[in-house]
Amino acid sequence: MIKVVKGDITKFRAEAIVNAANKYLEHGGGVAYAIAKAAAGDVREYIRISKEAMREQLGKDWIDHGEVVVTPPLQLEKNGVKYVIHTVGPYCGGSWDEDKKSKLKLAILGALKKADELGVKSIAFPAISAGIYGCPLEKVVETFVEVVKEFLPSAKSLREVFLVLYSQEDYEKALKIVGQGG
Ligand code: ADP
């Protein structure tokens, strides 16, 4: 079950929220900065926590597409969030091709798998790579729907998958693609 919603993912109630991170978990802007700020208050502190978690969980200092790092929700616990799952989408800079699509698929699938492994029932995603990384929103949403529809039937715990769009314009575009119709 995919639901498209409009809003700020840092205010959203789901057991897991996904961060559209960069490969070093620097959380310098966009949704990553917003999540870090909302979770820890101090963005630098959440970067420190994230990098430490990355070293523990992956044994290295960067994330490839498809790999994920899990950090605690800290202040986001008040929204019912149990985990923040960091994943890295492709950089597009306005273009789109099969390579970018497969990297985005890996990024989305990695987060879904980890959430399911953790026993999470609901998960909220931002439009990964559709901001600073410049991938076309329509392509991001289409790919998202494809991956989630493929994954959900075999999921153990995951039941609800939310796509949270920040702007009204993106929300309306996404609604058309997912077909909720308004
Ligand atoms: P990327 O570098 O992967 O493109 P961005 O953070 O720049 O990541 O943007 C990803 C998407 O997240 C964009 O569509 C952006 O509008 C959206 N976004 C930014 N802040 C928030 C937020 N607080 N909640 C939900 N989505 C957000």
Side-chain angles (χ1 to χ4, degrees), residues 115-127:
D116 202 42
E117 213 177 284
L118 291 166
V120 158
K121 291 191 285 293
S122 56
I123 187 170
F125 283 78

Side-chain angles (χ1 to χ4, degrees), residues 133-154:
Y133 279 7
C135 301
L137 180 86
E138 287 85 351
K139 298 297 179 193
V140 169
V141 176
E142 278 170 26
T143 308
F144 183 79
V145 171
E146 232 177 276
V147 177
V148 174
K149 280 192 173 162
E150 228 172 272
F151 180 80
L152 268 190
S154 62

Side-chain angles (χ1 to χ4, degrees), residues 11 17 34 71 81 85 89 91 134 149 154-155 167:
K11 306 222 162 66
I17 64 169
T71 53
V81 177
I85 301 176
Y91 176 81
K149 280 192 173 162
S154 62
S167 74

Side-chain angles (χ1 to χ4, degrees), residues 7-10 19-22 29-35 89-90 125-135 137 164-167 170:
D8 179 346
I9 202 163
T10 66
N19 179 25
N22 63 40
V31 71
Y33 183 90
I35 290 173
F125 283 78
I128 297 168
S129 287
I132 298 162
Y133 279 7
C135 301
L137 180 86
V164 182
L165 286 314
Y166 202 45
S167 74
D170 286 355

